[in-house]
Amino acid sequence: FANPTLMAYAGMNWVKFQHKWGTGDSPDAVAGRIQQAHANGFKVLLSIPGADHSSINYTAYVNFLAGVAALGPDAIEIWNEMNIDREWPSGQIDPVAYTNNMLKPAYQAIKAANPNVMVISGAPAPTGFFGGCGGGGCDDALYISGMASAGAANYMDCIGIHYNEGIVPPSQQSGDPRSEHYTRYFWGMVNAYYNAFGGSRQLCFTELGYLSGQDYGGLPAGFAWAGNTTISQHAAWLAEATSLAANSGKTRLLIVFNVDFVTFNSDPQAGFAMIRKDGSCPACETLRQVMNP
């Protein structure tokens, strides 16, 4: 949490940390992060997926979340991108199983420990790769619909959502050069998730980001789709997406991915960062304008 002053300048009042849980973990592992966020005047979201996703001890995970909730975070995200086998046991991907075996008991345990903690469902990975939904992987709109059908609205305060593949302004709803798939568009994602639950729950963007490699001399092959996005566009689109979300009536929380990551390799996280390679932060200025008009 290196830049709280700059974040506050940009109008931010939440910080997200991700903790990759293991069966031997004590809730004390995240106590310092909660205290640090609150000491700097921020609310804190803890995203808690598993370090080992080959199998999941649901009871141990839920007990850990109850212990974390007792420490007083403001929100907890229940796992992360559980619709793909990089984050969930291969062959076992199933929105009904996630809802019944993880989300429901986690919600009940968290609320019993601390009813003031906001429970956010794990955000699926935005994807149309699978062309359906099965044990090996599930397109996110189908996964969200499956959760809704399983009664997930009863066990969360907010729908977790990620949006990180935009290469057009967030107001634009057609014309992406890759395809017209809904995940390409800010409104495509918002409407797919919000409508799946019939408007009964608002959205919590636990990651929203735009990628630019302009200051890094380009992007790795797997991310070439964002090769034409400039730093100026990155800053403008983050602010526009924030403004649209705030005024939509459909969004409760938006976490920018990310503020200050520095890793830039086959996974170019620094290309999403608000603080750029030279230390400047164009997005801090654009966000400040929409957060403090």
Side-chain angles (χ1 to χ4, degrees):
F1 194 21
N3 292 283
T5 302
L6 198 61
M7 290 169 65
Y9 173 84
M12 294 178 163
N13 50 26
W14 280 82
V15 60
K16 170 191 168 182
F17 298 111
Q18 187 174 88
H19 174 80
K20 295 202 171 187
W21 162 83
T23 52
D25 284 0
S26 164
D28 292 339
V30 297
R33 286 178 155 180
I34 296 170
Q35 294 164 4
Q36 185 184 32
H38 288 164
N40 281 282
F42 284 77
K43 294 181 179 181
V44 58
L45 161 62
L46 297 174
S47 175
I48 306 181
D52 175 14
H53 60 268
S54 60
S55 64
I56 301 171
N57 183 329
Y58 293 107
T59 300
Y61 178 72
V62 168
N63 288 340
F64 177 78
L65 295 186
V68 170
L71 297 174
D74 300 280
I76 298 175
E77 181 180 15
I78 313 303
W79 215 264
N80 174 73
E81 299 195 342
M82 56 281 178
N83 61 320
I84 58 175
D85 63 7
R86 290 198 303 273
E87 299 280 355
W88 195 266
S90 183
Q92 300 178 38
I93 293 170
D94 179 4
V96 177
Y98 167 76
T99 300
N100 292 333
N101 298 338
M102 179 174 284
L103 184 63
K104 177 179 178 179
Y107 177 87
Q108 293 170 335
I110 289 168
K111 293 298 185 180
N114 185 346
N116 296 319
V117 176
M118 178 166 57
V119 176
I120 304 173
S121 61
T127 180
F129 173 79
F130 302 101
C133 194
C138 187
D139 293 351
D140 59 312
L142 294 174
Y143 196 95
I144 286 289
S145 294
M147 287 173 54
S149 297
N154 298 313
Y155 309 112
M156 62 172 159
D157 299 308
C158 199
I159 306 164
I161 179 173
H162 287 173
Y163 176 65
N164 50 27
E165 61 178 77
I167 59 171
V168 295
S171 57
Q172 189 171 322
Q173 299 187 59
S174 64
D176 188 293
R178 296 165 295 181
S179 72
E180 291 300 319
H181 197 257
Y182 65 93
T183 61
R184 309 301 195 198
Y185 304 103
F186 171 81
W187 284 120
M189 291 292 293
V190 166
N191 292 333
Y193 283 50
Y194 187 78
N195 294 342
F197 282 89
S200 64
R201 292 291 181 274
Q202 290 178 296
L203 309 179
C204 284
F205 281 95
T206 57
E207 292 182 14
L208 185 147
Y210 290 93
L211 174 60
S212 174
Q214 182 181 4
D215 45 351
Y216 287 89
L219 292 165
F223 293 84
W225 47 268
N228 293 326
T229 301
T230 66
I231 294 170
S232 177
Q233 288 173 324
H234 168 272
W237 294 349
L238 281 177
E240 184 181 353
T242 299
S243 180
L244 292 174
N247 292 308
S248 69
K250 300 177 180 180
T251 302
R252 182 170 176 175
L253 173 67
L254 189 152
I255 300 288
V256 171
F257 178 79
N258 60 78
V259 174
D260 51 17
F261 289 13
V262 296
T263 299
F264 193 92
N265 49 31
S266 59
D267 183 8
Q269 297 173 10
F272 285 94
M274 290 170 54
I275 298 177
R276 303 307 303 185
K277 187 178 182 181
D278 64 0
S280 66
C281 187
C284 292
E285 302 299 335
T286 57
L287 281 168
R288 180 178 173 83
Q289 291 170 16
V290 298
M291 293 298 293
N292 301 286

